[in-house]
Each structure stands twice: as structure tokens, then as C-alpha cells.
Amino acid sequence: THIGRRHNHQPQNVSVLIAKVNKSGGLEFAASKMREYQQKAFDLLNTLPSSESRCSLEQLVMFTTERKH
């Protein structure tokens, strides 16, 4: 079904979609991919000289990948 495409304003459909994502391991997969891209970002940043700009970018990577909301 295409619950995510239609009727997403109906709470029961949103609950069904969330349950399917949880059951399928979708959140764990997404978190794993996020950590993979986070590491790639740090690897690339580490090729740059240490600077205030690099530090700001590292903090941005941390903020976007470690935030809880």
C-alpha cells in the first residue's frame, strides 16, 4: 500500500506506517547510513588544515547527526 503518499493526515494511517517502518528495521538502517555518511564527512574534513572554519563544519556534522529532534 501507499500509506505514505495518501491520507497521511489520518492518525491511524500514520500509526500503521510508523509500525511498518519500525518492524522492517527502517530506522536502524537509516541510523546506520547516517553514521556512515557522518564518518565520510569527518574523513573529508580531516584532509583540510585545522581552522575555525573546519571546526565549525565538524560541529555542524555533529549537530545534524547527533540531535534527538
Side-chain angles (χ1 to χ4, degrees):
T1 63
H2 300 285
I3 295 172
R5 294 184 185 166
R6 289 187 249 142
H7 310 293
N8 60 2
H9 62 281
Q10 296 178 2
Q12 68 272 19
N13 288 342
V14 174
S15 295
V16 169
L17 183 58
I18 290 171
K20 285 184 178 189
V21 169
N22 286 331
K23 185 176 180 182
S24 71
L27 292 179
E28 291 82 8
F29 175 78
S32 173
K33 281 302 207 184
M34 178 188 63
R35 287 188 297 273
E36 180 183 322
Y37 284 116
Q38 178 192 49
Q39 188 58 55
K40 286 181 181 185
F42 283 131
D43 290 346
L44 286 171
L45 288 171
N46 284 330
T47 66
L48 301 173
S50 184
S51 68
E52 188 175 321
S53 297
R54 180 178 127 183
C55 182
S56 294
L57 289 169
E58 290 168 341
Q59 289 174 354
L60 179 61
V61 169
M62 288 298 295
F63 173 76
T64 58
T65 57
E66 301 293 330
R67 64 184 177 173
K68 301 298 178 198
H69 303 287

